[in-house]
Amino acid sequence: MGNLREWADRLLIPFLFVMMVALSMHRVPAGDRSSMIWSDAEGYYLYLPATFVYGSWQVWDGKDGLAMLSCCLVNDDQQVKTRYTYGVAAMQAPFFLAAHAWALVVQGEGTPPPADWSVEYPDLNTQNIHHRKYSALRGQATGFSDTYGIGIMIATAFYAALGLWFVRKALLRHFGKVVATGTTVLIWGATNLYYYSVVEAGMSHAYSFCLFATLIWLLPMWLERPRLGLSLAIGGCLSLIFLIRPTNILIGLLILFWEVYSFKDLQGRMQLFLSRWTHILAMAGIGLVLVTPQMMYWHHVFGDWLVWSYEGEGFSNALHPKLLQVLFSYQNGLFLYTPIMLLAMIGIVIGWRQRKNSAPATLIVFLLATYVFASWWAWWFGGAFGHRCYVEFYALLAFPLAMIVNWIWENPRIWIKWAGVAMLCGFVYANVKMTLLYAPPWDGPDWTLQSYIAVLKNVVKFWR
């Protein structure tokens, strides 16, 4: 049994990676895998074809140029204005380049279009997705054919799996192998990370989750003994986190509050920063290097070095944040769609009382993140499965969740132990079943409490 557990531990992350790729491929039939490059996913991605295929942001003219759907605007010079920053594209770049090399070598520039390329679809978006797979000048090496969609699927699975690997590595510092492995599986299977690593693989959340997990793994080593390499790695993580979703930079507060349980601890942390100012400077330096390309794009397309690209959108609820709705509403509320996070909240309370697992830091970051989400004009972040903005924060919430898993697993009363294990398995089942039932959008005026209850009734029907 010991050898079996050892092999299970070694193969867990590769197995999850292969499963994510297989599930993504199964979900979207061959010939339609480029369809994931649309909406927000397209806005993140456009930096890659603009840079490596077309060499400009010039919009498509029907034969060539940067094809796009409804994600972006066009400026007066007919250049695409994407409001999204380039962090996701930077992480997708190796997979994009591999896909582009395959498209050039195997499919080739100027190859004939697919046989059904001229089919007209009643839905304009579907037609545009289909038509932009091919151009007379570039054949199928356009940046938008199925080859590139597969590249995104593999990239998302890779970063989700890598994030889970770092989560498990970080948990092993505090918990045994069974608890660390079990919690890692729960973070994927019992939350909407599953959805955003398999179904909407082009969205940003799996990428941010990986960066959050990497930061949490690196930070204790840096606090114990700072090195230039660690400082640059932490600075790079924080910069990419900012360049994917700027508001997520608040995770940087972990540097200040990690393993801080009193005002005296906080004073010690500040003194530590003062003594390591060169390392803080190195973090800021790598941040400046990584942010510079974004500023160059803004200046080139928007005309300014610093831009609020979300025109007409903002934090209009800042003075009256929708806190309860973000957590408990049938419109994507965190605890209604990812109820296992209620256990993590209990774990935070226990961790605070026991001065363990950086519970104060976890609570501070969670509360600030919730306030930010609740302040946004669309606090439910529509077109989502559950409250998608929390996905990356599961890397941090894994610690209080692991405290509950540890209590269940080590409970001397057998009936409590196995009832707890059954409950955790139930969370995985409910999440996967809801994902299979999901038919967007589960938000907006037509999505009511009755709609949500109807879904719950289907969740408990094992035979459907």
Side-chain angles (χ1 to χ4, degrees):
M1 287 299 295
N3 290 335
L4 184 62
R5 281 198 298 268
E6 191 69 27
W7 276 105
D9 286 339
R10 291 180 181 179
L11 296 176
L12 172 66
I13 301 304
F15 173 76
L16 291 178
F17 168 72
V18 171
M19 180 177 288
M20 283 185 263
V21 174
L23 289 171
S24 294
M25 296 284 195
H26 175 74
R27 186 188 66 85
V28 183
D32 196 35
R33 286 170 180 152
S34 66
S35 62
M36 69 168 51
I37 308 174
W38 77 289
S39 189
D40 291 14
E42 181 187 33
Y44 299 126
Y45 170 80
L46 284 178
Y47 289 92
L48 294 170
T51 301
F52 296 107
V53 179
Y54 302 99
S56 78
W57 287 87
Q58 207 66 28
V59 74
W60 193 43
D61 62 3
K63 295 181 180 179
D64 200 37
L66 190 60
M68 66 172 201
L69 301 177
S70 57
C71 74
C72 304
L73 301 173
V74 178
N75 67 11
D76 293 338
D77 295 327
Q78 293 300 295
Q79 293 180 314
V80 176
K81 297 167 60 177
T82 177
R83 60 183 176 176
Y84 306 94
T85 41
Y86 84 95
V88 171
M91 295 179 72
Q92 289 175 340
F95 302 88
F96 171 87
L97 292 173
H100 190 51
W102 177 269
L104 287 173
V105 173
V106 177
Q107 296 171 315
E109 287 185 317
T111 53
D116 62 345
W117 182 75
S118 60
V119 173
E120 297 292 330
Y121 291 86
D123 176 66
L124 184 60
N125 270 354
T126 303
Q127 179 173 313
N128 288 342
I129 286 173
H130 190 65
H131 280 194
R132 68 181 183 167
K133 296 178 183 179
Y134 171 88
S135 78
L137 297 179
R138 302 179 192 276
Q140 293 179 55
T142 62
F144 298 97
S145 62
D146 275 17
T147 300
Y148 302 92
I150 293 171
I152 290 176
M153 290 178 181
I154 296 173
T156 303
F158 172 82
Y159 286 114
L162 182 61
L164 291 167
W165 184 78
F166 278 121
V167 165
R168 184 176 178 277
K169 291 274 285 185
L171 289 173
L172 283 171
R173 291 171 174 153
H174 305 274
F175 303 95
K177 284 187 177 181
V178 172
V179 172
T181 299
T183 303
T184 301
V185 172
L186 290 170
I187 288 295
W188 181 64
T191 74
N192 49 347
L193 174 61
Y194 175 90
Y195 178 86
Y196 285 103
S197 61
V198 170
V199 181
E200 288 199 45
M203 295 292 281
S204 68
H205 305 291
Y207 299 86
S208 292
F209 171 81
C210 179
L211 292 169
F212 275 41
T214 306
L215 176 67
I216 291 166
W217 180 68
L218 291 172
L219 185 55
M221 294 188 291
W222 185 86
L223 291 172
E224 182 180 348
R225 186 168 71 88
R227 285 156 279 176
L228 179 60
L230 283 175
S231 300
L232 293 175
I234 289 173
C237 278
L238 288 172
S239 301
L240 285 173
I241 285 168
F242 173 80
L243 287 167
I244 290 176
R245 183 179 289 269
T247 53
N248 279 348
I249 194 61
L250 61 85
I251 196 66
L253 290 172
L254 291 183
I255 299 177
L256 181 60
F257 293 111
W258 190 259
E259 295 292 358
V260 167
Y261 299 98
S262 67
F263 184 70
K264 185 178 180 180
D265 290 342
L266 184 59
Q267 285 180 315
R269 184 60 50 82
M270 297 302 296
Q271 291 173 356
L272 185 69
F273 288 168
L274 290 174
S275 66
R276 299 177 178 177
W277 65 270
T278 55
H279 294 274
I280 302 299
L281 192 61
M283 292 181 193
I286 193 67
L288 180 61
V289 169
L290 292 176
V291 169
T292 296
Q294 186 63 58
M295 297 174 66
M296 293 173 66
Y297 166 76
W298 282 337
H299 187 266
H300 177 66
V301 173
F302 288 85
D304 293 301
W305 293 103
L306 294 174
V307 172
W308 176 253
S309 55
Y310 285 79
E311 300 173 15
E313 301 180 41
F315 297 94
S316 56
N317 290 315
L319 297 180
H320 42 87
K322 309 298 184 181
L323 298 170
L324 291 178
Q325 290 92 324
V326 163
L327 297 175
F328 296 103
S329 174
Y330 55 86
Q331 299 271 0
N332 294 341
L334 170 65
F335 297 132
L336 267 66
Y337 291 86
T338 311
I340 197 170
M341 283 299 122
L342 287 168
L343 299 183
M345 299 301 106
I346 298 172
I348 290 176
V349 175
I350 296 172
W352 189 299
R353 294 180 62 181
Q354 297 181 358
R355 295 170 65 93
K356 287 183 177 180
N357 299 315
S358 298
T362 302
L363 182 61
I364 289 169
V365 170
F366 176 79
L367 292 177
L368 286 175
T370 300
Y371 172 76
V372 170
F373 306 153
S375 298
W376 189 245
W377 71 274
W379 51 265
W380 63 97
F381 285 79
F385 176 69
H387 207 292
R388 58 188 176 89
C389 295
Y390 284 101
V391 170
E392 38 266 63
F393 290 88
Y394 299 151
L396 180 59
L397 293 170
F399 287 87
L401 178 60
M403 293 193 71
I404 304 301
V405 175
N406 187 69
W407 179 83
I408 291 172
W409 186 249
E410 295 188 352
N411 200 294
R413 287 168 287 189
I414 296 299
W415 72 270
I416 291 181
K417 177 177 180 175
W418 292 110
V421 169
M423 175 187 67
L424 296 175
C425 292
F427 283 128
V428 174
Y429 164 79
N431 181 67
V432 174
K433 183 69 178 289
M434 288 187 78
T435 302
L436 294 172
L437 292 171
Y438 181 60
W442 280 5
D443 60 82
D446 294 331
W447 184 252
T448 64
L449 179 59
Q450 289 70 32
S451 305
Y452 173 77
I453 293 173
V455 169
L456 291 186
K457 290 179 179 178
N458 281 322
V459 167
V460 299
K461 293 179 180 178
F462 294 94
W463 60 90
R464 293 184 60 185

